[in-house]
Amino acid sequence: MPRFIYFSLQVNTLNKELQSEFIEVMNEIWASDQIRSAVLISSKPGCFVAGADINMLAACKTPQEAAQVSQEGQKMFEKLEKSTKPIVAAISGSCLGGGLELAISCQYRIAIKDRKTVLGVPEVLLGILPGAGGTQRLPKMVGVPAAFDMMLTGRSIRADRAKKMGLVDQLVEPLGPGLKPPEERTIEYLEEVAVSFAKGLADKKISSKRNKGLMEKLTSYAMTIPFVRQQIYKKVEEQVQKQTKGLYPAPLKIIDKFGELAMTKESKALMGLYHGQVLCKKNKFGAPQKEVKQLAILGAGLMGAGIAQVSVDKGLNTILKDATLAGLGRGQQQVFKGLNDKVKKKALTSFERDSIFSNLTGQLDYQNFEKADMVIEAVFEDLSLKHKVLKEVEAVIPDHCVFASNTSALPINEIAAVSKRPEKVIGMHYFSPVDKMQLLEIITTQKTSKDTTASAVAVGLKQGKVIVVVKDGPGFYTTRCLAPMMSEVIRILQEGVGPKKLDSLTTSFGFPVGAATLADEVGVDVAKHVAEDLGKAFGERFGGGSLELLQQMVAKGFLGRKSGKGFYIYQEGSKDKNLNSDMDSILAGLKLPARPEVSSDEDIQYRLVTRFVNEAVMCLQEGILATPAEGDIGAVFGLGFPPCLGGPFRFVDLYGAQKVVDRLRKYEAAYGKQFTPCQLLIDHANSPGKKFYP
Amino acid sequence: MTSILTYTFKSLPSTSKWALRFSLRPLSCSSQLWAAPAVQTKSKKTLAKPNIRNIVVVDGVRIPFLLSGTSYKDLMPHDLARAALSGLLHRTNVPKEVVDYIIFGTVVQEVKTSNVAREAALGAGFSDKTPAHTVTMACISANQAMTTGVGLIASGQCDVIVAGGVELMSDVPIRHSRKMRKMMLDLNKAKTLGQRLSLISKFRLNFLSPELPAVAEFSTNETMGHSADRLAAAFAVSRLEQDEGLLSDVVPFKVPGKDTVTKDNGIRPSSLEQMAKLKPAFIKPYGTVTAANSSFLTDGASAMLIMAEEKALAMGYKPKAYLRDFVYVSQDPKDQLLLGPTYATPKVLEKAGLTMNDIDVFEFHEAFSGQILANFKAMDSDWFAQNYMGRKTKVGSLPLEKFNNWGGSLSLGHPFGATGCRLVMAAANRLRKEGGQYSLVAACAAGGQGHAMIVEAYPK
């Protein structure tokens, strides 16, 4: 009679203790002649193995140390792969990084077909690469193109797709309620099925070899021809270069060394962002007294509808109110389209879409606002209009209801000035497009109560956002950092650098979107609005480019993508964008002489980045920001600050405060006050041991 | 657990091991039969309610249930329904003009006869002054037809109702694709040759791919067998248990151009060994629901004469049973698709003021062996009752010796729209033959719905 041993992985991450424990148990299995096969399963529903403990890597001081960690993993998995007794990996929940490498070292894989079960090698997102043999085993298993795609993008693959790719051998459908809670019984069932396959494999009734399709056979044959292989590697390398602009070292090293990578600046920056993100996914203000169950949104524009979509998506009952039927209809359609796109991608079923969509109520009046727990207004950015809706809403909502304002620049205390209950007023600054952008900036005034903040953070987390909480002030944090950079963008354009050249300079520095394109995306009118407001508030320091450029563009209707013309021309259905030639005369009329001493490509890049960084540090200095980590998360997730630099604060730490100050002084000499480094930055430059991150 | 569901087989080949295994079955039935008159005393209360009319089943018939693709394959649904109606007229001799209303249930609708009740009634020779409508509620469509009739009588709108159901799985509406349909409709409206040509120029070969009637739940996109397999796994019902679970009112039907059909042809006895060899039909390769332990696609029709008691008595009928309390329930169509009986049973018992012990005859619809066993386990679980049904204690276990003794949907077949009337007639006839006062009829249906009804024996 065959005997089966089970041991459960009690932790979610592979760490040193687990490694040795695992080896011990495996040796017992291999040594015993009573055991003919084994099943690897996690007792924790929702998590197989979420990967190697990244703290284990972060603790490494030298490349050699990091390389050793990787080699130990490699040895362990190699033994597993060569096991003569079939080992079945029964996967429920995330199977990532080292977890996937473990699974693919086994002889057979069975996965639960649910949304929680995802397989992937996300190492590249942390600036490292699969270090325990995944780079060798994955291509053998799913073919070179698919393996590279997984390793280079770090994308997670759902179980059903993994089955199609050949990454898992069998799927198990999740079970509903029976004689036990569904999750518990599903794991049990997975175990039963896995055991039956383990027996089958041991008895040679089931073969672990997969029937490869014709295409697969052809590609694997083609890969044996050196010429073809070289061509493919070359192609992949080009692709990677194009996508990363050579800024992220990991993908290219995949095509070679682990130890070095774990020690790079980029890897440190990316791991820092990972930690920051974990931090910003928690509610440090505690649980609100009353959970928000009924949400109301004012204004069914791009933002309002976007907020509605991410809310109904998570089961929040949401009222979407607009002033006109046409406006409301447009907003409802936006929500529907957002959900329907998910159906097309098979992330939702059409039934789930309909049932989610039924959480949304569209209306033109204030009916049922007396039941609202939170109102988020997303009306046009105009203070008197915001005052009007605040007064209207306060007349109908219950006492406990939070009033949140979605604004990118209007100070919240000015909005709250007309409120009868300013402790319930808060700012919730979403980023467009709301369903794609992860960041939510929450703005508290001095009067905002802690419970109101807790409530806003809870709603934001429910909507799936990464949240930074900042103090009120003109432009808060994100808009305030962006404004001086945009002002510099205008000056650079005025100095004769074309939008295309500017875009390529910014993207090659690591920004995901070029600076001129960004202005078009945000909307030139919005940029003008913000520039005017913040210009008034901060004066000369926000100067640089001429506001007139934006004013003339708005006057001509060049509002960016939404009006079809901005710096570029946008045509429906066409992906290529051409320069808007009508901009030539505007730019010519406002031309400034370029200063050759600060106009090299590198200088242009640093003029933009240092103004951004300087302003960010000033926000920390002034207490707008509570922590540098929030500053980095806000800049990267909300404004597209280069992730490989880790955010403005990480950048100062890694690049060196002194070098940043030197740069600023150089540009200050040419342009004056706009580049004067702030006190906190100078302090950091003066004492080299001082860092934003320990 | 060894054999859970046991049946008497009238037409079992004597060579089958099953026949040997269950040869004792008829004996135990007949012993009950003998005991019946003594058991049926008036000790149990009747479920008559003050100020509500008593509603009775005068009689009911069905044509033989046949595997689809056999003798009925060239007919249309209303032909089957008409045969059932004619059979009912013949059996009861009810004067056609007395019938106030006709209601039929059906699931997969023939587009040409979407109100199949009316088409069948006209052909069966009912008065053209008798209105008829068709209802649909998946596998409990005929139940819905009956209870709609009960409502019409109880509210005093009607005295005499004919309710029935029909399903013809030998032919189902296979449609042109939506694109093709749209083009054909647009072509109809096009006025000039130019318009027509421009429409035709948009034609693509893939327009011709046909659209089959949905076999999956619309809301979840999951087939019922797949859901049943998961349900069986959720309640830890093994393959062996399901396979072991396997193993009147019929009027003959002269099929035009073919022989007269006098009996069902679906009963499929086979040995456990043979059944164990079958491959899973839905969850491959390790699922437990197979062709042998699922109900098969069936053609058939049934019809019943339902009346207000005083009307039936005035007309000189000897009714067979009372139709008493009934409930409809619905739950999660994904994970609890087929648990309708579990939810409906305690609800209808409470409504009628009865307990499980009061029930003498159970008639449950069996979509899949695994499904009915999962329902048994759910009803016998305190955990399930507390966590999903909002009850303090479990519903209780079903006495198997009272369960589907004359066969169920798995052995007799399951023409979706017609099964409800078969269940109620089996309940009524079993009460008369086996003795006893109350029967509980329950069924599940697509969409995560369910139904249960109490049938009370009419005093002899």
Side-chain angles (χ1 to χ4, degrees):
Chain A
M1 276 297 282
R3 191 165 72 94
F4 293 88
I5 276 198
Y6 305 108
F7 76 98
S8 317
L9 305 175
Q10 294 293 346
V11 281
N12 293 342
T13 50
L14 295 171
N15 56 25
K16 280 188 181 160
E17 293 78 59
L18 180 74
Q19 266 188 15
S20 56
E21 194 186 324
F22 179 75
I23 290 171
E24 223 171 87
V25 177
M26 285 315 296
N27 283 337
E28 193 189 323
I29 290 174
W30 284 315
S32 161
D33 50 2
Q34 304 239 288
I35 301 173
R36 298 179 50 218
S37 54
V39 171
L40 274 178
I41 189 166
S42 161
S43 61
K44 230 175 190 178
C47 185
F48 178 67
V49 179
D53 189 347
I54 76 166
N55 293 322
M56 177 162 81
L57 281 180
C60 295
K61 298 266 177 338
T62 62
Q64 286 76 17
E65 223 179 300
Q68 201 198 336
V69 169
S70 148
Q71 276 161 10
E72 275 167 21
Q74 282 177 18
K75 254 188 256 160
M76 170 163 93
F77 293 153
E78 213 164 293
K79 268 186 99 173
L80 201 56
E81 190 185 26
K82 297 211 172 107
S83 167
T84 48
K85 296 178 180 175
I87 316 285
V88 176
I91 304 161
S92 161
S94 28
C95 174
L96 300 173
L100 181 65
E101 295 185 289
L102 170 65
I104 60 176
S105 306
C106 295
Q107 278 69 38
Y108 208 77
R109 283 146 299 279
I110 302 177
I112 298 272
K113 186 186 164 192
D114 63 5
R115 297 229 164 94
K116 276 189 229 144
T117 301
V118 288
L119 300 93
V121 274
E123 281 89 343
V124 72
L125 302 177
L126 298 174
I128 52 179
L129 57 82
T135 48
Q136 280 83 45
R137 284 188 196 98
L138 258 189
K140 274 190 216 151
M141 188 160 279
V142 298
V144 173
F148 272 122
D149 179 66
M150 284 178 71
M151 290 188 280
L152 299 180
T153 60
R155 87 175 84 216
S156 289
I157 289 166
R158 286 219 309 263
D160 47 349
R161 171 118 185 75
K163 168 85 166 46
K164 273 187 203 139
M165 289 168 62
L167 198 54
V168 302
D169 301 287
Q170 288 297 340
L171 294 178
V172 168
E173 295 275 339
L175 300 180
L179 300 175
K180 286 176 186 173
E183 299 77 29
E184 204 178 300
R185 175 63 194 144
T186 300
I187 287 272
E188 254 181 39
Y189 180 50
L190 171 67
E191 189 177 309
E192 289 164 16
V193 172
V195 166
S196 77
F197 276 95
K199 281 183 186 168
L201 285 164
D203 296 342
K204 305 237 183 312
K205 279 187 186 152
I206 300 165
S207 160
S208 58
K209 288 217 178 65
R210 209 161 43 85
N211 291 329
K212 288 186 176 177
L214 180 65
M215 259 323 274
E216 246 176 285
K217 279 184 191 153
L218 280 178
T219 38
S220 57
Y221 170 72
M223 286 303 288
T224 59
I225 307 167
F227 172 75
V228 176
R229 197 166 57 224
Q230 277 162 17
Q231 288 300 312
I232 287 179
Y233 281 140
K234 212 173 118 197
K235 189 82 203 152
V236 169
E237 203 173 317
E238 274 168 28
Q239 192 78 23
V240 173
Q241 281 289 1
K242 211 172 124 197
Q243 271 175 12
T244 64
K245 317 235 180 280
L247 293 168
Y248 296 79
L252 285 176
K253 299 256 171 141
I254 286 179
I255 310 169
D256 112 58
K257 290 184 176 173
F258 184 81
E260 283 173 31
L261 276 178
M263 290 294 114
T264 57
K265 277 184 189 171
E266 290 79 3
S267 175
K268 286 223 152 51
L270 292 169
M271 286 193 206
L273 278 178
Y274 173 79
H275 282 302
Q277 193 191 357
V278 171
L279 211 69
C280 292
K281 283 260 183 200
K282 286 187 183 135
N283 192 347
K284 55 182 172 186
F285 299 89
Q289 280 164 21
K290 196 167 187 308
E291 191 195 346
V292 172
K293 293 206 169 125
Q294 176 69 60
L295 183 68
I297 295 166
L298 302 176
L302 209 59
M303 297 305 290
I307 300 166
Q309 187 193 324
V310 297
S311 306
V312 291
D313 210 356
K314 309 297 180 314
L316 259 178
N317 279 320
T318 305
I319 296 171
L320 184 61
K321 180 202 173 300
D322 201 88
T324 67
L325 195 60
L328 179 63
R330 196 217 63 81
Q332 286 169 310
Q333 180 57 34
Q334 183 189 326
V335 177
F336 183 82
K337 186 177 176 297
L339 297 172
N340 200 39
D341 287 348
K342 286 194 179 176
V343 174
K344 285 184 188 155
K345 286 186 201 142
K346 301 222 166 116
L348 282 182
T349 67
S350 58
F351 177 70
E352 286 168 322
R353 173 200 65 203
D354 296 345
S355 122
I356 289 171
F357 194 61
S358 71
N359 289 330
L360 186 73
T361 316
Q363 59 191 54
L364 299 174
D365 54 18
Y366 285 109
Q367 195 195 334
N368 284 332
F369 270 55
E370 71 276 6
K371 291 182 201 131
D373 302 308
M374 178 180 284
V375 175
I376 302 176
E377 68 78 15
V379 301
F380 190 69
E381 295 265 34
D382 176 82
L383 191 60
S384 59
L385 181 62
K386 301 236 178 210
H387 280 166
K388 182 172 159 270
V389 298
L390 173 56
K391 282 190 230 162
E392 278 177 19
V393 167
E394 281 194 346
V396 289
I397 54 177
D399 289 341
H400 73 274
C401 181
V402 171
F403 182 92
S405 188
N406 174 59
T407 169
S408 53
L410 292 175
I412 304 302
N413 62 49
E414 284 181 30
I415 295 174
V418 298
S419 169
K420 287 184 287 189
R421 36 207 274 300
E423 73 281 2
K424 291 282 179 196
V425 180
I426 196 164
M428 287 174 89
H429 177 200
Y430 290 87
F431 293 75
S432 183
V434 181
D435 59 326
K436 302 260 162 32
M437 296 292 283
Q438 284 194 59
L439 190 71
L440 168 63
E441 183 180 30
I442 289 180
I443 304 105
T444 60
T445 70
Q446 282 180 334
K447 288 181 184 161
T448 307
S449 74
K450 189 178 157 236
D451 186 57
T452 301
T453 313
S455 197
V457 174
V459 167
L461 288 177
K462 193 162 199 180
Q463 291 165 336
K465 296 293 170 195
V466 174
I467 296 170
V468 299
V469 180
V470 304
K471 289 262 156 53
D472 192 23
F476 326 126
Y477 167 65
T478 50
T479 311
R480 180 169 161 184
C481 291
L482 193 59
M485 188 173 107
M486 286 317 273
S487 174
E488 200 59 28
V489 165
I490 295 168
R491 171 152 58 198
I492 292 165
L493 288 166
Q494 282 179 286
E495 287 177 355
V497 177
K500 276 204 167 156
K501 164 93 176 164
L502 180 60
D503 273 355
S504 95
L505 283 178
T506 34
T507 53
S508 68
F509 198 75
F511 283 92
V513 177
T517 307
L518 183 66
D520 275 1
E521 295 288 341
V522 170
V524 177
D525 52 339
V526 176
K528 168 185 159 268
H529 220 86
V530 169
E532 283 170 352
D533 283 355
L534 295 191
K536 261 182 236 155
F538 293 105
E540 204 186 328
R541 194 154 50 81
F542 274 46
S546 168
L547 245 181
E548 190 139 334
L549 179 81
L550 297 176
Q551 284 161 349
Q552 284 190 26
M553 284 177 78
V554 172
K556 289 212 171 175
F558 301 154
L559 305 184
R561 180 183 281 278
K562 59 183 161 190
S563 69
K565 274 184 183 179
F567 290 106
Y568 295 95
I569 293 175
Y570 299 89
Q571 272 161 340
E572 197 73 42
S574 150
K575 273 198 172 163
D576 303 331
K577 44 183 191 182
N578 295 314
L579 281 175
N580 178 4
S581 54
D582 294 335
M583 283 302 298
D584 295 349
S585 61
I586 298 181
L587 286 169
L590 295 167
K591 195 159 173 63
L592 291 173
R595 313 251 184 148
E597 74 275 20
V598 289
S599 294
S600 74
D601 283 358
E602 197 190 61
D603 278 323
I604 287 176
Q605 289 172 330
Y606 276 97
R607 274 161 61 189
L608 294 168
V609 165
T610 51
R611 279 191 79 172
F612 189 120
V613 170
N614 191 29
E615 201 61 36
V617 176
M618 197 178 274
C619 285
L620 184 65
Q621 177 185 312
E622 289 177 4
I624 296 278
L625 275 178
T627 59
E630 283 176 291
D632 281 347
I633 292 294
V636 172
F637 286 90
L639 305 172
F641 191 90
C644 57
L645 304 182
F649 295 95
R650 180 74 63 178
F651 171 73
V652 173
D653 275 3
L654 294 175
Y655 185 77
Q658 187 60 53
K659 276 162 84 182
V660 177
V661 169
D662 290 346
R663 287 261 179 200
L664 280 162
R665 294 283 186 215
K666 175 177 169 191
Y667 305 136
E668 188 186 20
Y671 294 111
K673 255 187 159 175
Q674 295 133 19
F675 285 96
T676 309
C678 70
Q679 192 55 47
L680 186 58
L681 201 51
I682 294 172
D683 291 349
H684 272 247
N686 289 344
S687 50
K690 213 167 169 188
K691 297 265 187 203
F692 290 111
Y693 289 95
Chain B
M1 216 179 307
T2 51
S3 62
I4 295 195
L5 306 172
T6 53
Y7 304 110
T8 57
F9 293 116
K10 288 180 185 163
S11 55
L12 214 55
S14 54
T15 50
S16 160
K17 287 178 187 166
W18 274 82
L20 295 173
R21 237 187 127 123
F22 292 99
S23 55
L24 281 178
R25 188 76 239 171
L27 285 179
S28 68
C29 266
S30 49
S31 68
Q32 265 179 10
L33 229 163
W34 295 121
V39 169
Q40 200 181 19
T41 56
K42 291 288 161 197
S43 62
K44 283 182 188 169
K45 62 184 175 175
T46 170
L47 290 178
K49 288 180 183 168
N51 305 325
I52 292 183
R53 300 174 96 185
N54 280 326
I55 295 156
V56 295
V57 178
V58 173
D59 211 340
V61 298
R62 65 180 178 91
I63 58 168
F65 288 177
L66 300 190
L67 287 165
S68 63
T70 57
S71 295
Y72 300 153
K73 69 177 177 188
D74 297 326
L75 302 178
M76 286 179 68
H78 72 283
D79 295 325
L80 271 53
R82 193 177 63 238
L85 284 172
S86 308
L88 185 69
L89 283 176
H90 183 73
R91 171 80 61 95
T92 61
N93 283 316
V94 67
K96 291 164 188 167
E97 61 282 1
V98 178
V99 177
D100 294 317
Y101 206 95
I102 298 169
I103 310 162
F104 255 68
T106 196
V107 178
V108 181
Q109 283 191 320
E110 164 60 48
V111 188
K112 284 183 187 159
T113 59
S114 62
N115 187 1
V116 68
R118 177 66 173 161
E119 311 307 337
L122 284 172
F126 279 87
S127 160
D128 59 6
K129 299 282 191 293
T130 304
H133 83 259
T134 302
V135 294
T136 188
M137 200 173 181
C139 305
I140 49 179
S141 295
N143 308 75
Q144 186 53 263
M146 287 182 283
T147 54
T148 304
V150 168
L152 287 172
I153 297 173
S155 65
Q157 308 307 311
C158 299
D159 293 324
V160 180
I161 295 280
V162 168
V166 61
E167 205 67 45
L168 181 75
M169 292 306 288
S170 293
D171 181 34
V172 292
I174 297 170
R175 301 196 292 179
H176 272 299
S177 69
R178 182 84 187 242
K179 285 173 188 157
M180 188 69 193
R181 272 149 39 209
K182 184 164 181 284
M183 176 179 232
M184 288 155 93
L185 289 171
D186 287 348
L187 269 175
N188 248 346
K189 287 185 207 140
K191 290 201 174 64
T192 66
L193 185 64
Q195 283 175 343
R196 285 194 193 115
L197 285 176
S198 90
L199 271 170
I200 289 169
S201 72
K202 287 186 194 132
F203 174 82
R204 299 288 175 273
L205 214 55
N206 69 8
F207 284 21
L208 289 178
S209 66
E211 213 175 271
L212 297 167
V215 287
E217 271 304 283
F218 182 73
S219 58
T220 61
N221 227 359
E222 185 183 27
T223 61
M224 195 177 273
H226 197 278
S227 187
D229 204 318
R230 289 195 306 115
L231 186 70
F235 283 96
V237 180
S238 73
R239 166 83 178 260
L240 186 63
E241 283 174 295
Q242 293 180 46
D243 286 352
E244 280 177 338
L246 289 177
L247 255 193
S248 90
D249 50 348
V250 177
V251 291
F253 180 17
K254 168 71 181 83
V255 180
K258 293 204 170 82
D259 289 342
T260 301
V261 181
T262 57
K263 56 185 184 194
D264 304 332
N265 70 356
I267 300 171
R268 311 159 292 172
S270 66
S271 70
L272 266 181
E273 290 74 24
Q274 277 173 327
M275 280 194 281
K277 281 184 194 149
L278 285 177
K279 288 198 169 145
F282 298 98
I283 295 187
K284 296 163 185 169
Y286 57 84
T288 53
V289 172
T290 66
N293 57 34
S294 314
S295 57
F296 49 88
L297 293 180
T298 313
D299 300 337
S302 54
M304 267 164 67
L305 183 60
I306 304 174
M307 287 192 190
E309 184 182 21
E310 72 273 15
K311 178 80 178 178
L313 295 177
M315 289 180 71
Y317 283 116
K318 176 80 185 157
K320 283 197 159 166
Y322 290 109
L323 298 183
R324 297 300 193 189
D325 292 284
F326 63 85
V327 295
Y328 287 94
V329 295
S330 60
Q331 60 283 336
D332 170 21
K334 172 84 184 162
D335 290 330
Q336 304 191 19
L337 181 68
L338 303 171
L339 284 181
T342 298
Y343 284 89
T345 297
K347 225 173 146 184
V348 80
L349 286 174
E350 268 155 39
K351 208 168 172 195
L354 298 176
T355 67
M356 204 77 112
N357 293 333
D358 295 322
I359 304 297
D360 306 298
V361 162
F362 290 88
E363 274 298 326
F364 276 40
H365 163 55
E366 310 153 342
F368 302 89
S369 176
Q371 167 259 336
I372 209 75
L373 294 174
N375 272 285
F376 284 179
K377 291 199 177 188
M379 280 192 259
D380 203 18
S381 159
D382 280 323
W383 186 87
F384 189 83
Q386 284 155 6
N387 287 283
Y388 287 90
M389 299 176 71
R391 294 171 55 89
K392 288 204 181 75
T393 54
K394 62 187 179 186
V395 181
S397 60
L398 265 73
L400 295 173
E401 68 280 4
K402 297 179 182 172
F403 189 84
N404 289 7
N405 290 8
W406 291 4
S409 299
L410 285 167
S411 56
L412 301 175
H414 171 39
F416 307 141
T419 291
C421 290
R422 176 188 68 73
L423 290 172
V424 170
M425 285 320 298
N429 288 329
R430 274 181 63 195
L431 283 173
R432 286 168 69 84
K433 285 247 170 72
E434 298 172 5
Q437 192 170 358
Y438 299 116
S439 171
L440 174 65
V441 171
C444 59
Q449 311 208 76
H451 166 75
M453 186 197 258
I454 302 288
V455 177
E456 184 181 345
Y458 198 84
K460 281 181 180 170

